Amino acid sequence: MIKRTKGVTISQVADAAGVARSSVSRAFTRPDMLSPETVTRIMKAAEALGYVPNHTARALSTGRHGNVGLIVPDIANPFFPPLIQAAQLEADRSDFCIFLGNTEENPKQEDKLVGRFAGQVEGLVLASSRLSDERIRAHAGLLPLVLINRDIDGIPRVLIDSGSGVREAVEHLAKLGHRRIVYVSGPSNSWSNKQRRTAIKAAASRLDIVVETVPAVLASYNSGRNAVSAILATGATAAVAFDDLTAQGVLAGLSEKRVSVPSDFSLIGCDDVLGAVTYPALTSVSNRSTEAGRVAVSLLLDMLQSRAIRDVRYVLETHLVVRNTTTALR
Amino acid sequence: MIKRTKGVTISQVADAAGVARSSVSRAFTRPDMLSPETVTRIMKAAEALGYVPNHTARALSTGRHGNVGLIVPDIANPFFPPLIQAAQLEADRSDFCIFLGNTEENPKQEDKLVGRFAGQVEGLVLASSRLSDERIRAHAGLLPLVLINRDIDGIPRVLIDSGSGVREAVEHLAKLGHRRIVYVSGPSNSWSNKQRRTAIKAAASRLDIVVETVPAVLASYNSGRNAVSAILATGATAAVAFDDLTAQGVLAGLSEKRVSVPSDFSLIGCDDVLGAVTYPALTSVSNRSTEAGRVAVSLLLDMLQSRAIRDVRYVLETHLVVRNTTTALR
DNA sequence: GAGTTCCATGCAACCGGTTGCATGTCAAGT
DNA sequence: ACTTGACATGCAACCGGTTGCATGGAACTC
């Protein structure tokens, strides 16, 4: 059986060291205000008693608890773990802790989480939020907010411009001789999906390539797989998928239909989350999710410091990473 | 520019409703103690002012803040996201929030995070902790702790018994005619790695199969890929890898050496995190990470309720999921 | 040696809730 | 009509820190 030791308070330390509570407090927060001897005496007493400042009490009186929240739609989507990791690391550098929320792609759940987090975090990062602009604006009125992959005026945001990479993807396919391609689209309410579809169409029309869109409903392996018949029906010779997961599903679906990649069909993913880890290595549009997570948290911490909200719009460009699922048309 | 509204306090609501602060407090926490009319009057006033109870203040006086911590060694390892997701969901059901910590496989960082979390969480789940038994015991003395994939007497723990699945894997290979196999091992300080290696050796010796161990240092794609030469040098016809990531690396390495899977070589992964999402579909040992996350949090919440620590040892069995990377020896 | 500064420390109010106990009111019991 | 009890509400202490201001003594000035 393990017994719990309960908290040592500042008063106990003060008694032990023969000083006032305020001095103990200052020994920990502003030691320069005290004489060095007093500080060491207090520290010794604190050490001996095993004193640890109570985070909650400190938060109550200062109003700063050193926590930030991070809300993502789906942790299981491989796009997010690196983002979360980077956010965590960045927060850690400033001794902040991260509250993590997963919304299951559900705006109601997202609203609920924001509410639960508000009050225990100093600020919030919303990644790929599924909330309406109005809801986001409303939340931003209550606490500092930074968005990732949502573009709302007046709210600091970090945008991964997959457009630039997608453009390269189309150019790459054009150079390989493909004239008819498919875009396997993702969730219709996703900002990234709109961005990618728009970029593809623009690039294709510029290069005189025909694009058809096949919807994959969700960004998932199975949707990609189920989309294969529709993809082949278009007569296209190459496809760009909304993300790597979808692409991987398409890959599997094609292989089941004995269409081999890349000799019979070229395929490009987005986000580059699986490309380097699977076989055949997927040609994909790089994502900058790590930077996005880092920058978003760093921006948020800046806001907390300066107490001012600047209208930042931080754009991260992406590029095509060519691997082994694309080849020249014979 | 967005301006922040600052907190409405219980006193303001009390004034507005013409009652004492304590009544407002009770209206929110124990409405049964008040007359229904008073409650509605208070609620109306609160609503009008936009009052939201201050979580921190409440936590300070009650000692309960409704947060639990979850610490994992590597979010980017696909084993963990489903675990985190399930933990989150379970916490959510009881209106708890999750603090997430990522240790980068570093015990120092883990220790630091535990320290930072303690004091703002009511309890902690340590998944695949890299800490020593002593450190874990020490932490368990300070706050309620539940372990995942660490087996320490006296501390509640959830164990994923990959042994059972690994045994099935060896039996499967034996049935296919393989007599000489390789275990591509993972991090040496990992509990799961020990468990898997032990299970393989036991099963193999029982079935009269030769096992050689090839280390892959880290559980990663590249380590697996680099291990291929050593694997082939053993003359084995099949391999079981520490996890799916490693297996995927081995797959890539084999393919580079023109060894095709499964016709020339059979390969089995562990954790089943990629098998269903890549091509060719990887035969793998199922993981139960979702259940593990859910059960661990549920156990922790139970502990918090009853304030008692039971010595729970919850074991989740695993099974082999046969897909397309294993075949009979010709 | 008296006046002025400056520094180290203590005092006490405050952050925003919760809760044990006291008080007052009203209805039921006899 | 008087007691008794139940119930609704208020009072004030408390959770564990932080911080503006007051104080006292030492050093410094002239």
Side-chain angles (χ1 to χ4, degrees):
Chain A
M1 204 61 184
I2 294 171
K3 55 186 152 196
R4 205 80 63 223
T5 53
K6 53 244 145 280
V8 178
T9 75
I10 211 172
S11 304
Q12 298 176 35
V13 178
D15 289 352
V19 296
R21 299 191 304 144
S22 45
S23 294
V24 178
S25 172
R26 290 195 255 260
F28 282 88
T29 54
R30 320 217 1 219
D32 51 299
M33 283 185 66
L34 268 43
S35 75
E37 308 84 59
T38 312
V39 172
T40 54
R41 188 150 45 93
I42 291 174
M43 286 310 188
K44 241 174 222 160
E47 178 87 13
L49 272 65
Y51 168 74
V52 178
N54 180 315
H55 199 94
T56 310
R58 181 174 289 180
L60 180 58
S61 49
T62 60
R64 321 205 57 217
H65 20 40
N67 299 325
V68 295
L70 171 61
I71 296 186
V72 302
D74 181 13
I75 310 177
N77 182 328
F79 174 81
F80 292 107
L83 187 154
I84 298 170
Q85 185 168 21
Q88 158 95 42
L89 212 61
E90 181 67 19
D92 208 64
R93 295 202 319 130
S94 304
D95 282 342
F96 270 69
C97 291
I98 291 253
F99 269 103
L100 181 69
N102 191 51
T103 67
E104 317 274 332
E105 307 271 359
N106 178 352
K108 286 240 176 62
Q109 172 73 1
E110 188 166 351
D111 242 346
K112 182 176 144 199
L113 280 176
V114 172
R116 219 213 280 315
F117 281 7
Q120 18 190 4
V121 300
E122 293 182 37
L124 217 46
V125 173
L126 297 185
S128 306
S129 174
R130 304 305 191 221
L131 291 175
S132 67
D133 284 14
E134 297 78 54
R135 294 302 303 146
I136 291 182
R137 281 228 167 71
H139 289 316
L142 297 173
L143 82 174
L145 217 62
V146 172
L147 305 175
I148 294 178
N149 280 0
R150 267 304 278 277
D151 195 358
I152 301 181
D153 272 348
I155 301 181
R157 51 214 186 277
V158 178
L159 304 171
I160 298 177
D161 173 26
S162 41
S164 52
V166 163
R167 209 167 305 129
E168 292 181 17
V170 176
E171 286 161 7
H172 174 63
L173 290 176
K175 202 170 290 171
L176 294 176
H178 297 271
R179 322 281 349 144
R180 189 176 196 88
I181 68 177
V182 165
Y183 174 58
V184 188
S185 78
S188 55
N189 58 342
S190 150
W191 179 83
S192 304
N193 183 51
K194 266 175 225 142
Q195 187 191 41
R196 288 164 199 188
R197 199 181 42 207
T198 309
I200 283 200
K201 287 195 176 147
S205 80
R206 189 160 45 73
L207 295 163
D208 210 24
I209 285 183
V210 180
V211 186
E212 303 213 34
T213 299
V214 170
V217 195
L218 287 170
S220 79
Y221 180 79
N222 282 327
S223 325
R225 190 159 165 172
N226 295 334
V228 166
S229 302
I231 294 171
L232 294 176
T234 65
T237 58
V240 177
F242 165 68
D243 68 1
D244 274 13
L245 241 49
T246 311
Q248 207 61 235
V250 171
L251 199 59
L254 287 172
S255 148
E256 278 163 9
K257 292 207 181 332
R258 303 278 167 239
V259 176
S260 79
V261 173
S263 50
D264 301 336
F265 195 90
S266 288
L267 184 62
I268 297 181
C270 275
D271 288 351
D272 196 25
V273 290
L274 294 171
V277 159
T278 59
Y279 194 83
L282 190 65
T283 294
S284 188
V285 172
S286 74
N287 83 42
R288 307 282 299 277
S289 66
T290 300
E291 284 100 325
R294 186 175 50 71
V295 171
V297 168
S298 152
L299 230 49
L300 184 58
L301 296 181
D302 282 357
M303 285 169 67
L304 297 179
Q305 285 246 305
S306 64
R307 292 278 166 221
I309 301 153
R310 294 162 303 155
D311 187 4
V312 183
R313 187 172 188 276
Y314 195 108
V315 177
L316 294 161
E317 301 244 311
T318 59
H319 295 285
L320 184 69
V321 181
V322 179
R323 295 210 187 78
N324 308 323
T325 54
T326 45
T327 196
L329 202 59
R330 280 175 307 192
Chain B
M1 203 63 186
I2 294 172
K3 55 185 153 199
R4 206 79 65 224
T5 52
K6 51 240 145 284
V8 177
T9 75
I10 210 171
S11 303
Q12 300 177 34
V13 178
D15 289 352
V19 295
R21 298 190 305 144
S22 46
S23 294
V24 178
S25 171
R26 290 196 256 260
F28 281 87
T29 53
R30 319 215 4 216
D32 51 298
M33 281 185 69
L34 267 43
S35 76
E37 307 84 60
T38 312
V39 173
T40 53
R41 186 151 45 93
I42 292 174
M43 286 309 188
K44 242 175 222 157
E47 178 87 14
L49 273 65
Y51 169 75
V52 178
N54 179 314
H55 199 95
T56 309
R58 183 175 284 180
L60 180 58
S61 50
T62 59
R64 319 205 60 217
H65 20 39
N67 299 326
V68 295
L70 171 61
I71 295 185
V72 302
D74 180 14
I75 310 178
N77 182 328
F79 175 81
F80 292 108
L83 187 154
I84 298 170
Q85 185 168 20
Q88 158 95 42
L89 212 62
E90 181 68 19
D92 207 64
R93 294 204 319 131
S94 305
D95 283 341
F96 270 69
C97 291
I98 291 253
F99 268 103
L100 181 69
N102 189 52
T103 68
E104 316 274 332
E105 307 270 359
N106 177 352
K108 287 239 174 63
Q109 172 72 359
E110 187 166 353
D111 242 346
K112 181 177 145 198
L113 281 175
V114 172
R116 221 211 280 312
F117 282 7
Q120 19 190 4
V121 300
E122 293 184 37
L124 218 47
V125 174
L126 297 185
S128 305
S129 174
R130 305 303 192 220
L131 291 175
S132 66
D133 284 15
E134 298 78 54
R135 293 302 304 145
I136 292 181
R137 282 226 166 73
H139 290 316
L142 297 174
L143 82 174
L145 217 63
V146 172
L147 305 175
I148 293 177
N149 280 359
R150 266 305 278 275
D151 194 0
I152 300 181
D153 273 348
I155 301 180
R157 52 215 184 275
V158 178
L159 304 171
I160 298 178
D161 174 24
S162 42
S164 52
V166 164
R167 211 168 302 129
E168 292 179 17
V170 176
E171 284 160 8
H172 174 64
L173 291 176
K175 203 170 288 169
L176 294 175
H178 298 272
R179 321 284 343 147
R180 188 176 197 89
I181 67 178
V182 166
Y183 173 59
V184 188
S185 77
S188 56
N189 58 343
S190 149
W191 180 83
S192 303
N193 182 51
K194 267 176 222 141
Q195 186 191 41
R196 288 164 198 188
R197 199 180 43 205
T198 309
I200 284 202
K201 286 196 176 150
S205 80
R206 191 161 42 74
L207 294 162
D208 211 24
I209 284 183
V210 180
V211 186
E212 302 213 35
T213 299
V214 170
V217 195
L218 288 169
S220 80
Y221 180 79
N222 282 328
S223 323
R225 190 159 167 175
N226 296 334
V228 167
S229 303
I231 294 171
L232 294 176
T234 64
T237 58
V240 176
F242 166 68
D243 67 2
D244 273 13
L245 240 51
T246 312
Q248 208 62 236
V250 171
L251 199 59
L254 286 172
S255 145
E256 279 163 8
K257 293 204 181 329
R258 304 276 169 240
V259 177
S260 79
V261 173
S263 51
D264 301 336
F265 195 90
S266 289
L267 184 62
I268 297 181
C270 274
D271 289 350
D272 196 24
V273 289
L274 294 171
V277 159
T278 59
Y279 193 83
L282 190 66
T283 295
S284 188
V285 172
S286 73
N287 83 45
R288 307 281 299 277
S289 67
T290 300
E291 284 101 325
R294 187 175 50 69
V295 171
V297 168
S298 152
L299 229 50
L300 184 58
L301 296 180
D302 282 357
M303 284 170 65
L304 296 179
Q305 286 246 305
S306 64
R307 292 276 167 222
I309 302 153
R310 294 163 303 156
D311 187 4
V312 183
R313 187 172 187 278
Y314 196 107
V315 177
L316 294 161
E317 301 244 312
T318 60
H319 295 286
L320 184 68
V321 181
V322 179
R323 295 208 187 79
N324 307 326
T325 54
T326 46
T327 195
L329 202 61
R330 282 174 307 192

